[in-house]
Amino acid sequence: DEAAYGKELHGDLWEGKRTLMLIHLLAQCRVRERRHVVSFLRKARSERTQAEIDRIFALMLQYGSIEAAGRAARQLAGAAMIEGLAAFGGVPESAHKRFIFEMILYVVRRRR
């Protein structure tokens, strides 16, 4: 639901953004599917169709691309937490310090 999501559904696909999910899909899918995705990416936004978006999104689900990107985000967030603790471990607690660590969690948990 676009209203609940707060922005255009599949906007990154409509825009042709090279996301981690798309990179994962291209690495995992069959040659024929890869050709289709690459052909889609070569098109201007105005030439893309809802059917193509739906097909590529279905492929992302089929190949676990969304889950793979989520795993990568959690791994990177964990690394950021470790680095943050090392960098700010000796800094007294404050709203600013909490904000930095909360931002790491926000990026992983956000739904938009």
Side-chain angles (χ1 to χ4, degrees), residues 63-74:
Y63 286 100
S65 300
I66 295 166
E67 293 83 7
R71 281 191 304 275
R74 288 186 296 278

Side-chain angles (χ1 to χ4, degrees), residues 28-101:
Q28 299 300 313
C29 68
R30 295 183 180 107
V31 173
R32 192 173 107 225
E33 295 164 332
R34 187 176 309 112
R35 281 191 207 118
H36 172 75
V37 173
V38 170
S39 173
F40 167 83
L41 291 171
R42 289 185 176 138
K43 293 181 180 181
R45 179 188 170 117
S46 61
E47 298 172 331
R48 296 181 178 136
T49 67
Q50 185 65 54
E52 289 174 313
I53 298 290
D54 293 343
R55 180 167 183 224
I56 291 173
F57 186 71
L59 288 171
M60 286 179 168
L61 292 174
Q62 176 184 335
Y63 286 100
S65 300
I66 295 166
E67 293 83 7
R71 281 191 304 275
R74 288 186 296 278
Q75 289 170 346
L76 289 169
M81 281 290 201
I82 291 168
E83 292 299 320
L85 290 170
F88 299 111
V91 174
E93 291 301 317
S94 69
H96 300 293
K97 183 177 175 180
R98 277 191 305 281
F99 175 78
I100 290 170
F101 288 103

